[in-house]
């Protein structure tokens, strides 16, 4: 018998994945969404922005991306690098306030060979972590259970950002 994990909210993820497969750049497209909430954009800086990961590793998993489309970290100018760095730092603060994680994974996967899911647009991951945040579902079923809907995560983090 096939086991099913009912997750109707995943349909939005499938739709976004289809856009990526069609050649559109998700990181460029989200900036044109009807609202930042629809595009999962949490904050817009001068040269970069912060958005929720539509395929999160944990609740609160965000990404920081420069506005400029490209995949060459050496092509970023100092102002772009500085804004990315500032937003990574701010995202850590927002996540600490909203979720009280015990640690973070922070980094970028540059290129397909390095594991980038969307290799055409540079982005940095900020992943809040807790001791024991992976469980048997990951080990046995190769499934991640995210306990919070993305819109709830967006609302929670936006409230922290707006309270600054």
């Amino acid at each position: 018998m096939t086991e099913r994990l009912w997750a109707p909210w995943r349909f939005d993820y499938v739709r976004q994945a289809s856009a990526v497969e069609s050649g559109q750049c998700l990181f460029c497209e989200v900036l044109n969404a009807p609202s930042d909430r629809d595009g999962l954009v949490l904050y817009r800086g001068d040269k970069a922005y912060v958005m929720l990961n539509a395929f999160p590793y944990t609740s609160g998993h965000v990404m920081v991306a420069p506005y400029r489309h490209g995949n060459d970290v050496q092509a970023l100018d100092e102002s772009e690098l500085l804004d990315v760095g500032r937003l990574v730092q701010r995202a850590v603060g927002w996540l600490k306030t909203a979720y009280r994680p015990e640690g973070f994974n922070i980094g970028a996967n540059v290129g397909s060979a390095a594991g980038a899911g969307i290799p055409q647009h540079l982005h940095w991951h900020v992943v809040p972590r807790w001791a024991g945040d992976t469980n048997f579902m990951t080990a046995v079923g190769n499934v991640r259970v995210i306990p919070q809907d993305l819109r709830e995560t967006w609302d929670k983090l936006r409230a922290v950002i707006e309270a600054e």
Side-chain angles (χ1 to χ4, degrees):
M1 177 166 82
T2 301
E3 296 294 326
R4 287 182 172 59
L5 183 60
W6 181 249
W9 44 268
R10 292 276 302 169
F11 186 71
D12 287 340
Y13 294 1
V14 172
R15 193 171 324 150
Q16 288 180 2
S18 298
V20 171
E21 289 171 8
S22 71
Q24 299 172 12
C25 175
L26 173 68
F27 290 96
C28 295
E29 290 295 316
V30 298
L31 296 171
N32 299 317
S35 72
D36 280 349
R37 189 172 191 265
D38 288 337
L40 302 177
V41 175
L42 287 163
Y43 184 85
R44 293 176 185 248
D46 294 332
K47 301 282 184 167
Y49 62 98
V50 181
M51 68 178 287
L52 288 177
N53 188 327
F55 304 93
Y57 189 77
T58 63
S59 292
H61 179 170
V62 302
M63 298 180 293
V64 178
Y67 290 118
R68 184 159 51 111
H69 181 81
N71 61 3
D72 183 359
V73 71
Q74 292 177 297
L76 295 178
D77 64 34
E78 286 184 21
S79 65
E80 290 168 313
L81 284 169
L82 184 59
D83 206 32
V84 165
R86 282 185 188 136
L87 291 180
V88 165
Q89 184 180 52
R90 290 184 78 186
V92 166
W94 300 329
L95 290 164
K96 282 182 176 181
T97 299
Y99 289 99
R100 305 205 187 293
E102 298 170 356
F104 290 91
N105 290 121
I106 300 171
N109 301 323
V110 181
S112 295
I118 302 173
Q120 69 267 31
H121 197 121
L122 288 171
H123 57 283
W124 284 254
H125 294 265
V126 181
V127 183
R129 299 302 305 270
W130 298 265
D133 64 8
T134 59
N135 59 28
F136 75 94
M137 290 293 284
T138 302
V140 176
N142 199 27
V143 172
R144 267 207 205 283
V145 177
I146 308 299
Q148 188 173 49
D149 178 74
L150 282 177
R151 303 299 182 237
E152 291 175 30
T153 303
W154 190 92
D155 293 340
K156 184 173 186 154
L157 286 170
R158 278 296 296 185
V160 170
I161 292 166
E162 290 171 2
E164 280 191 329

